[in-house]
Amino acid sequence: MTNKSKRIISASITGSIHVPTMSEYLPITTDEIAQNAIDAANAGAASVHIHARNPENGQPSSDLNLYRKIIDKIRAVNKDVIICITTGGGLGMTIEQRGAVVPEFKPELASMNCGSINWGLYPLGERYKEFKFDWEREYLENTKGQVFTNHFADIEGLLKIFRDNNTKPELECYDVGHIYNVKFMQQNGWLEGKPFLQFVMGINGAIAANEYELMNMKQTADRLFGEDGYEWSAFGAGRQEFPICTQNLFLGGHVRVGLEDNLYLSKGIKAKNNAELVEKMVRIMKEFDYEPMTPAEARETLGLKQFSELQNVR
């Protein structure tokens, strides 16, 4: 790392897990998503992770026009923050829908899922008797019988699109086996440069979010790539967001917070926006003498081109 006292903070703005009923603060319109990203960057996030939603009802969307509005609104105000676009999309989207954002926007960074998992969101739906929008209950209940599919053919195809568009993958690893998948990708020439792993912990159907499994993920990556052979970030879903992020600081890694992963600022208190979550992470970092990286420092650490060098500037 460029500076061992500095870490990248990524902010995952809205995602596709939570439904609007769960929080009145979940951003769903293009203006809300863009403004949350801008404010998160101002609070200390070097990277903002972007999903799109139908502005009428908050349902996850693959509509490229919605992504374009979000990106343009962010860039009109902030020309420096790293915009990391999802290729995970939302449940039920095809791989073609999920991957279309890369050739369309040629982002510096985009997420890419490294293996298939069960994706059991349905217990969340059991907590609510009524929902704000008709689609929400079925969306959650259907996950009891769904697999979030990311097989090798899709992975190979996506990584070719990434290479063709000079986009670095943020490699989402939901379990230990996904780290082995990344090694396989590297050995077969599907990946170029130092991998950037994102440990996604606490999804029902994948690895748990606790200190033992965080060490398991870290030690597995160390064995496969060498301690200096990769960059990584980690977070825990829900109430484990800040505990996992804090522990990962001590291990030398980066962190991710945001309303995609966690709706609460503290026990019983909902976060009103992504900036509040970033601000809390910055406070925690400062207590232990860490600092958030700037976007320029994050680009250097991850081996990204500086924004001014990009051919497709938005």
Side-chain angles (χ1 to χ4, degrees):
M1 296 178 61
T2 305
N3 187 325
K4 292 186 178 181
S5 70
K6 293 191 174 185
R7 300 286 191 276
I8 298 167
I9 299 178
S10 299
S12 51
I13 303 303
T14 190
S16 62
I17 293 176
H18 297 124
V19 299
T21 294
M22 296 175 181
S23 175
E24 62 272 35
Y25 303 115
L26 184 70
I28 63 174
T29 69
T30 55
D31 284 345
E32 290 169 347
I33 294 168
Q35 191 60 54
N36 263 255
I38 292 163
D39 293 342
N42 290 339
S47 174
V48 290
H49 180 52
I50 301 299
H51 287 68
R53 288 178 179 260
N54 181 332
E56 300 298 323
N57 62 9
Q59 190 167 10
S61 175
S62 60
D63 187 335
L64 295 178
N65 288 325
L66 295 176
Y67 278 99
R68 183 172 292 103
K69 289 179 181 179
I70 294 166
I71 294 167
D72 287 348
K73 287 177 185 294
I74 294 171
R75 284 294 181 232
V77 176
N78 187 321
K79 299 188 181 301
D80 194 34
V81 68
I82 298 166
I83 296 178
C84 173
I85 306 179
T86 182
T87 66
L91 292 170
M93 294 182 191
T94 66
I95 193 67
E96 290 78 17
Q97 289 174 315
R98 288 162 49 188
V101 293
V102 175
E104 181 69 21
F105 301 109
K106 303 184 187 302
E108 300 171 84
L109 192 66
S111 66
M112 204 215 69
N113 300 284
C114 295
S116 302
I117 58 167
N118 290 331
W119 191 274
L121 304 181
Y122 66 93
L124 296 176
E126 295 169 357
R127 303 175 187 176
Y128 302 90
K129 292 182 179 180
E130 296 182 357
F131 288 87
K132 187 175 181 179
F133 296 106
D134 292 340
W135 67 272
E136 296 176 89
R137 185 187 301 277
E138 184 178 8
Y139 182 82
L140 296 172
E141 288 179 349
N142 284 347
T143 65
K144 191 171 186 177
Q146 285 183 338
V147 173
F148 182 34
T149 304
N150 298 281
H151 51 60
F152 282 120
D154 286 346
I155 290 171
E156 183 180 17
L158 276 177
L159 286 176
K160 182 180 186 304
I161 294 172
F162 277 62
R163 291 193 303 274
D164 290 346
N165 291 278
N166 198 31
T167 296
K168 186 178 182 73
E170 179 183 285
L171 299 157
E172 313 288 289
C173 297
Y174 296 79
D175 218 326
V176 175
H178 294 180
I179 304 175
Y180 283 91
N181 288 351
V182 174
K183 184 64 176 179
F184 175 81
M185 300 172 208
Q186 188 183 64
Q187 290 174 329
N188 282 272
W190 299 356
L191 280 175
E192 298 175 349
K194 183 184 287 189
F196 176 37
L197 312 181
Q198 181 72 258
F199 298 162
V200 181
M201 308 183 71
I203 297 297
N204 185 29
I207 203 163
N210 58 53
E211 64 271 29
Y212 307 105
E213 300 302 352
L214 178 58
M215 284 302 301
N216 187 12
M217 297 282 275
K218 173 68 168 64
Q219 290 172 343
T220 299
D222 286 348
R223 288 194 302 271
L224 292 177
F225 303 104
E227 292 186 12
D228 296 323
Y230 68 105
E231 291 288 340
W232 88 100
S233 175
F235 68 93
R239 64 182 180 178
Q240 292 300 316
E241 179 169 78
F242 289 104
I244 291 296
C245 286
T246 302
Q247 292 168 61
N248 206 48
L249 292 175
F250 303 143
L251 295 177
H254 309 291
V255 296
R256 172 172 136 173
V257 297
L259 291 172
E260 172 176 357
D261 311 317
N262 165 45
L263 296 173
Y264 287 84
L265 187 63
S266 57
K267 186 175 181 180
I269 300 176
K270 289 180 180 177
K272 294 182 174 64
N273 50 60
N274 281 274
E276 287 191 339
L277 297 171
V278 175
E279 288 165 357
K280 180 173 179 176
M281 191 68 244
V282 171
R283 291 196 300 271
I284 292 171
M285 292 173 73
K286 288 183 176 179
E287 286 294 326
F288 297 104
D289 295 323
Y290 295 104
E291 298 177 53
M293 285 189 183
T294 66
E297 290 168 332
R299 286 186 174 93
E300 182 179 356
T301 298
L302 298 178
L304 304 179
K305 285 189 173 183
Q306 295 298 310
F307 184 80
S308 61
E309 297 174 352
L310 296 179
Q311 293 179 355
N312 186 17
V313 176
R314 288 193 172 271

